[in-house]
Amino acid sequence: MTTGYWTQLDAPVGRLLLTADADGALSSLSVPGQKGGLTVRSAGDDRRQDAGPFRAAADQLAAYFAGELKEFQLPLSPHGTEFRQRVWAALDEVPYGSTVTYGQIAARIGASRAAVRAVGGAIGANPLLIVRPCHRVIGADGSMTGYAGGVERKVWLLTLEGALAA
C-alpha cells in the first residue's frame, strides 16, 4: 500500500525533491545536499513516484522562481511536534520580500527569550523549504545564519524576493 508520493522538479536552486501524503498534501520539499533533507532513496521507501499529485506545486514553484508568485496556496502536511508546528505557522506569516530574526519568531509564538535556540532548531527542521519560508529568518545582527539548504541558496532566494540587493 502506498502511503504517499514523490517527484523531482528542476529549479534554479537545484533539483527539488517533493513528497506528498496519500491525499496529495505536500509533506516535504528538499534541495540537493540539504542538511536533514530527504533523498530519492529515502523518499521512495514507502511512496510511489508520480508527478500527478504535484501539478499545483510545480506550477506555483515555477511562478515563484519567475518572480510572479509571492504566496504559496498548497495543501501542506508536514510532520512535527506541536512546538515545531507553531514555529512553522509563524514562518508562514513572514511576508515575501522581508526578513525576521529568530528572536522575533520566538516572540510571535509567545516563547521566552531562552527558547530562541529551540526556535532555531524548529526552523532548521522545516521540511518544506521555499514553500514555508525559513529562508526569511536571519540573525539578530542581519547575518545570513544557517539554512538547511545552504547559505548560498538562502541569499539567492532573498535576492529573488528583493529582500537583498542583487
Side-chain angles (χ1 to χ4, degrees), residues 87-165:
V87 171
W88 298 340
L91 291 175
D92 290 339
E93 301 302 317
V94 180
Y96 180 95
S98 64
T99 59
V100 296
T101 65
Y102 293 89
Q104 288 171 318
I105 292 290
R108 287 181 184 193
I109 66 164
S112 70
R113 180 130 174 93
V116 171
R117 285 184 75 96
V119 167
I123 291 169
N126 172 23
L128 290 162
L129 295 192
I130 304 166
V131 171
R132 179 156 276 152
C134 56
H135 59 277
R136 297 178 188 155
V137 183
I138 61 173
D141 62 357
S143 61
M144 296 296 117
T145 57
Y147 180 61
V151 173
E152 33 325 300
R153 281 192 187 100
K154 180 178 195 155
V155 168
W156 192 93
L157 293 166
L158 290 174
T159 302
L160 171 71
E161 294 184 5
L164 294 177

Side-chain angles (χ1 to χ4, degrees), residues 13-68:
V13 295
R15 194 158 176 85
L16 307 178
L17 174 63
L18 289 78
T19 64
D21 66 17
D23 294 324
L26 195 62
S27 55
S28 73
L29 187 156
S30 301
V31 297
Q34 176 183 331
K35 179 181 174 187
L38 292 178
T39 64
V40 169
R41 185 175 192 165
S42 63
D45 285 348
D46 61 350
R47 295 174 189 93
R48 182 176 56 141
Q49 184 176 9
D50 183 353
F54 301 98
R55 283 189 187 99
D59 290 347
Q60 288 184 39
L61 284 161
Y64 170 80
F65 288 123
E68 300 165 355

